[in-house]
Structure formats: structure tokens, C-alpha cells
């Protein structure tokens, strides 16, 4: 009887150990599958979320009567709006340099769309942006409409701006931004002819995509109105802490979505607005917030475009086909 009890005990122990082993094996398999799922990457560089900052340099390129905090009561044509002009000069005197200090502190590279005449008026600023390792992109020769230009005039307008900036900084622009995003039906064909790689005048996605222009691939790097200082700080009189909350909310959702699809967060700063002390402080708080997560990468737009232009995972969207052929 003693031996029988001992045998039963041994068999029971063996069954329990086998059961535990199977359960542990199953748990390990499930954990491995979960890890594999979480580690699936949708960006060629393995990031979960890519953030791209625009730093528009426009001071000195604005026309008479350009938008300003005082434009609700515009002065008669020919009468200089001296306070408005001083507001623009803030971007050159303070804003750009304050933002450059912030990017340097956190080793972030941004894209600066530079108006050609702004670079000509303040060449030392354009050179400082380029010297910081930031992308110099094109923004026209002056800050004015191009949607109403014919093909030849628009081509000259874009080329003159890009040539002016290249002459000063040594960087050939491959990215483009129209005034208030309002391009013409010919703009992408003009950019394709001039050798540009991408444009940002599009709001249709939260990731870059390819569109066909004259039968060839052209990259679209979607812009933002939601995370844009000129729209929300100037246009809606948000406070910097409201802007910071917007950035955090946007980041949280896009980061979560980035686990299962390609996501890009776009942020837009303008020299005279984003370069104010409170806005730079808000942006620094946001940068610190992003560092709490893994797989977050800040990138220049040209680097993103080059990385995804030949990636088969990049969506192709020909919604504007009738204009681009």
C-alpha cells in the first residue's frame, strides 16, 4: 500500500509538472507573439512615430498690407504700417535665433521654408539656419499668391526664390511651400520640372504619400492646420498652454496608432510667432514629453521624403490626377 501511494504521488506530480510546463510554454508563445506584434515597424527606420517641424522664415519677404495682428483695420494703400513691420522684424531679431537655440539643445533638425527675398534681406539668418544642419526649403521669391499665375510666371516665381536661397546658403531646395498653401493647378508640374522632390501644401493624410505628376512619382508631405502657430495662436488667440495641450493630445493618439500603421506628426512654427518666449517654452515642454516614449524620431522633411519615396509601403494617391498630367 505504501508503494502504491508513493507511485500515485509520483504520477500526480509528473502530470502537474507537465501541465505547468505546457502552460508556461503557451504563455511564452503568447508573449513572443505579442512582442512580435508590438515590434512590427511601419517606417523604414523602425520608428513608431515620426515628428517633423516646419520653421517658416518669412520676415522681410512680406508684401505691403500683409497679414498681421493689426490687419483688422488696414491702413490706406501707400501708408506704411510701422507696428506691423516691427512685428515681422521680431522674427528676424529674436524668433529664429531662439528657436535655433532650442533645436540645438535637443539635437533636433527641422525644415525651414524660406522666402527668397527674406533670405536676401537677412542672409546671416538663412546661413545660421543652414549651419545648424536644418533643411533649407523653398517658399517663393516673395510672400505672395501664386495660384493666379500662368505656368511660365509661376515657374519663374518658384525658381527665383529657390535660386536666391541656394546662392546664400549653398543648399538646393527640394521641398516647397506655397503662400497659405494655395498652389495653382500647375504647381506640382512646375516643381517636377524644376527637380523638386516634395511639397507640403496638402492636408489629406497623417502620413506622407506618393502622387503621380506627369507620370512620375512625387512625394506629398502633409502639412498641418491643427498644430500650426499662425492658425491657432494668431488666428484663434490660443494661449501657449492651449497649444501645448493640442500637441500632447495629437501626439498621444498618433503614437498609439503608430503601433499598427505609419503615422507622421507635423508641427508648424513661424519666425515671429513660434519664436516668442512662451511658445518656445511650450515646445520645449512638448519635446520633453515625447522623450518619455520609445520609437519617436524628429526628422527633416527632405530626409523623410528620401526615405519613403521608393518604399513599397508608401501609399499612392492620385486624387489630383486631372491637374497633374
Amino acid at each position: 500500500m505504501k508503494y502504491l501511494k508513493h507511485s500515485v504521488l509520483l504520477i500526480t506530480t509528473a502530470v502537474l509538472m507537465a501541465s505547468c510546463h505546457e502552460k508556461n510554454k503557451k504563455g511564452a508563445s503568447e508573449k513572443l507573439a505579442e512582442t512580435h506584434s508590438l515590434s512590427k515597424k511601419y517606417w523604414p527606420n523602425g520608428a513608431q512615430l515620426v515628428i517633423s517641424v516646419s520653421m517658416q522664415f518669412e520676415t522681410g519677404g512680406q508684401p505691403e498690407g500683409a497679414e498681421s495682428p493689426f490687419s483688422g483695420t488696414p491702413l490706406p494703400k501707400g501708408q506704411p504700417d510701422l507696428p506691423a513691420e516691427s512685428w515681422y522684424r521680431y522674427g528676424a531679431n529674436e524668433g529664429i535665433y531662439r528657436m535655433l537655440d532650442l533645436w540645438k539643445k535637443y539635437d533636433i533638425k527641422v525644415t525651414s521654408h524660406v522666402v527668397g527675398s527674406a533670405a536676401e534681406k537677412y542672409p546671416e539668418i538663412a546661413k545660421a539656419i543652414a549651419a545648424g544642419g536644418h533643411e533649407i526649403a523653398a517658399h517663393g521669391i516673395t510672400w505672395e499668391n501664386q495660384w493666379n499665375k500662368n505656368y511660365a510666371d509661376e515657374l519663374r516665381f518658384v525658381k527665383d526664390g529657390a535660386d536666391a536661397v541656394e546662392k546664400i546658403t549653398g543648399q538646393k531646395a527640394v521641398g516647397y511651400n506655397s503662400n497659405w498653401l494655395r498652389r495653382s493647378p500647375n504647381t506640382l508640374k512646375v516643381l517636377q520640372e524644376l527637380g523638386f522632390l516634395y511639397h507640403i501644401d496638402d492636408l489629406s493624410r497623417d502620413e506622407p504619400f506618393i502622387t503621380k505628376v506627369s507620370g512620375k512619382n512625387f512625394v506629398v508631405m502633409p502639412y498641418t492646420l491643427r498644430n500650426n502657430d499662425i492658425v491657432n495662436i494668431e488666428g484663434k488667440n490660443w494661449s501657449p498652454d492651449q497649444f501645448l495641450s493640442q500637441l500632447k493630445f495629437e501626439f498621444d493618439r498618433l503614437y498609439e496608432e503608430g503601433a499598427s500603421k505609419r503615422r507622421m506628426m507635423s508641427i508648424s512654427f513661424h519666425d515671429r510667432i513660434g519664436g516668442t518666449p512662451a511658445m518656445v517654452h511650450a515646445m520645449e515642454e512638448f519635446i520633453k514629453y515625447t522623450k518619455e516614449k520609445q520609437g519617436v524620431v524628429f526628422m527633416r522633411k527632405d530626409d523623410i521624403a528620401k526615405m519613403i519615396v521608393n518604399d513599397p509601403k508608401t501609399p499612392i494617391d492620385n486624387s489630383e490626377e486631372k491637374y497633374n498630367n
Side-chain angles (χ1 to χ4, degrees), residues 176-248:
Y176 194 76
N177 172 213
S178 302
N179 179 35
W180 278 109
L181 312 185
R182 284 182 166 164
R183 50 196 165 89
S184 81
N186 289 323
T187 301
L188 298 196
K189 288 178 283 190
V190 164
L191 296 177
Q192 182 86 285
E193 182 176 339
L194 292 173
F196 282 82
L197 171 65
Y198 75 88
H199 82 108
I200 69 169
D201 303 324
D202 186 285
L203 305 166
S204 66
R205 291 175 181 262
D206 289 317
E207 65 176 314
F209 61 94
I210 298 292
T211 193
K212 297 287 184 179
V213 179
S214 302
K216 299 177 183 176
N217 283 358
F218 195 80
V219 179
V220 182
M221 298 288 299
Y223 197 50
T224 178
L225 299 182
R226 304 184 300 272
N227 311 315
N228 191 319
D229 61 355
I230 200 169
V231 173
N232 291 320
I233 296 296
E234 283 305 317
K236 295 178 183 171
N237 297 310
W238 279 12
S239 61
D241 61 324
Q242 287 175 295
F243 193 77
L244 175 58
S245 292
Q246 162 67 24
L247 294 183
K248 287 181 175 179

Side-chain angles (χ1 to χ4, degrees), residues 88-321:
Y88 278 95
R89 287 199 301 275
Y90 186 90
N93 293 333
E94 304 280 1
I96 289 288
Y97 289 114
R98 184 176 285 119
M99 286 190 283
L100 286 177
D101 287 343
L102 178 67
W103 312 140
K104 183 177 180 180
K105 181 176 180 179
Y106 291 95
D107 193 25
I108 289 172
K109 306 304 179 188
V110 305
T111 291
S112 188
H113 286 88
V114 181
V115 174
S117 54
E120 289 175 336
K121 187 166 186 178
Y122 299 100
E124 70 283 0
I125 296 178
K127 289 176 182 177
I129 296 170
H134 306 292
E135 178 191 2
I136 298 291
H139 201 8
I141 183 60
T142 54
W143 192 32
E144 65 177 275
N145 294 328
Q146 64 187 78
W147 57 264
N148 53 356
K149 299 183 187 300
N150 62 39
Y151 192 98
D153 288 344
E154 186 174 8
L155 187 142
R156 189 179 309 110
F157 176 83
V158 173
K159 186 176 187 306
D160 286 351
D163 288 349
V165 174
E166 183 179 7
K167 184 178 179 181
I168 292 165
T169 66
Q171 278 197 36
K172 180 176 175 58
V174 297
Y176 194 76
N177 172 213
S178 302
N179 179 35
W180 278 109
L181 312 185
R182 284 182 166 164
R183 50 196 165 89
S184 81
N186 289 323
T187 301
L188 298 196
K189 288 178 283 190
V190 164
L191 296 177
Q192 182 86 285
E193 182 176 339
L194 292 173
F196 282 82
L197 171 65
Y198 75 88
H199 82 108
I200 69 169
D201 303 324
D202 186 285
L203 305 166
S204 66
R205 291 175 181 262
D206 289 317
E207 65 176 314
F209 61 94
I210 298 292
T211 193
K212 297 287 184 179
V213 179
S214 302
K216 299 177 183 176
N217 283 358
F218 195 80
V219 179
V220 182
M221 298 288 299
Y223 197 50
T224 178
L225 299 182
R226 304 184 300 272
N227 311 315
N228 191 319
D229 61 355
I230 200 169
V231 173
N232 291 320
I233 296 296
E234 283 305 317
K236 295 178 183 171
N237 297 310
W238 279 12
S239 61
D241 61 324
Q242 287 175 295
F243 193 77
L244 175 58
S245 292
Q246 162 67 24
L247 294 183
K248 287 181 175 179
F249 284 169
E250 185 100 350
F251 172 83
D252 287 345
R253 175 59 59 182
L254 290 176
Y255 184 80
E256 182 180 326
E257 292 179 1
S260 59
K261 61 179 74 171
R262 186 179 291 179
R263 301 283 81 178
M264 181 186 80
M265 181 176 179
S266 178
I267 302 172
S268 177
F269 280 165
H270 294 72
D271 47 19
R272 60 209 174 274
I273 306 167
T276 59
M279 283 294 286
V280 167
H281 179 73
M283 186 61 191
E284 182 166 23
E285 290 301 302
F286 176 69
I287 293 169
K288 291 176 183 176
Y289 185 74
T290 67
K291 290 187 174 295
E292 297 172 5
K293 302 284 189 180
Q294 291 185 335
V296 178
V297 182
F298 285 81
M299 292 183 69
R300 296 167 27 153
K301 288 178 172 59
D302 59 339
D303 289 336
I304 299 171
K306 290 170 186 173
M307 183 172 69
I308 59 91
V309 64
N310 294 315
D311 185 350
K313 294 190 182 116
T314 304
I316 296 176
D317 185 339
N318 289 317
S319 299
E320 298 180 354
E321 184 178 10

Side-chain angles (χ1 to χ4, degrees), residues 24-39:
N24 289 339
K25 185 179 175 184
K26 186 179 179 184
S29 298
E30 287 175 349
K31 191 172 282 188
L32 184 64
E34 184 182 345
T35 302
H36 177 73
S37 174
L38 289 173
S39 65

